Amino acid sequence: MSKYKFNCAGTFAGVSSFTDDDGEAVNLLKIDYMGGKVNVQLSPETAEKFQKKQPGCDCRVSGDVLVGGGSFKPVLSSIQFEGEKDFEPVSMEESFAGLIFTGPGVVESKRSYTSKSGNLVCLVDVKLFGASLKDFEVSSEVFPQIAEGQVNIYGQIVSEVKKTFKGDLISKNWLTIFKARPLGETSKRR
């Protein structure tokens, strides 16, 4: 069971399949949202099932996030498409949110300083199951919303698929932290 979960709503943008540097087959469900895109890993059977589905319809997906060595890999558990029974239209708030990551972590330290160019730089050290993020930069607006100690982390994962110098496709995901609240504290707002 994964410690990290995700939810995402947006527009289905198709399925891509390729072989990574290790010779492993990679199947990704592509979802566009307002301001970005995300790739969610699929099983070969699920990828084949959605390969012919026409891009452009709204969808909601959820699943687990595997964290390892600073890499964030969303893996599909469930999906619902526009037009299916009980599908609620995707709201504007969901369209802007993208892929929301939640799960436990430990914020070991936080610090800020003003760079030579006069910009405020805010850094945190975060431990997650499978990764330690040292000097992880967060925005100055988010910095006050990050508690130290054991926390629930709320963030967004953004994806990029690009070609290497060899012409191979790779998928890279990164995390943006929105807030980190003490473990016992819950909030209705993101």
Side-chain angles (χ1 to χ4, degrees), residues 105-112 123-127 142-153 179-185:
V106 177
V107 175
E108 293 189 310
S109 67
K110 45 187 282 198
R111 62 207 164 282
S112 62
L123 303 171
V124 295
D125 289 347
V126 181
K127 282 192 174 184
V142 167
F143 191 68
Q145 298 179 45
I146 296 179
E148 289 189 70
Q150 295 179 353
V151 295
N152 273 319
I153 293 175
K179 64 184 168 189
R181 297 197 178 267
L183 274 181
E185 188 179 314

Side-chain angles (χ1 to χ4, degrees), residues 27-66:
N27 299 289
L28 300 172
L29 174 79
K30 301 182 290 185
I31 300 170
D32 292 338
Y33 63 90
M34 195 71 70
K37 60 180 67 194
V38 71
N39 298 303
V40 178
Q41 192 154 348
L42 302 169
S43 68
E45 299 79 30
T46 306
E48 190 174 320
K49 179 179 174 183
F50 296 129
Q51 197 77 35
K52 292 184 173 75
K53 186 154 187 72
Q54 195 66 21
C57 65
D58 284 348
C59 65
R60 272 193 192 80
V61 297
S62 62
D64 298 322
V65 178
L66 305 178

Side-chain angles (χ1 to χ4, degrees), residues 64-118:
D64 298 322
V65 178
L66 305 178
V67 178
S71 171
F72 301 88
K73 186 186 300 184
V75 179
L76 182 73
S77 292
S78 69
I79 187 166
Q80 189 180 29
F81 287 101
E82 178 181 3
E84 291 180 359
K85 186 179 182 205
D86 298 329
F87 184 86
E88 294 287 327
V90 173
S91 69
M92 283 307 285
E93 182 181 69
E94 289 176 300
S95 295
F96 280 106
L99 189 143
I100 300 301
F101 167 99
T102 58
V106 177
V107 175
E108 293 189 310
S109 67
K110 45 187 282 198
R111 62 207 164 282
S112 62
Y113 64 91
T114 304
S115 68
K116 290 180 182 177
S117 61

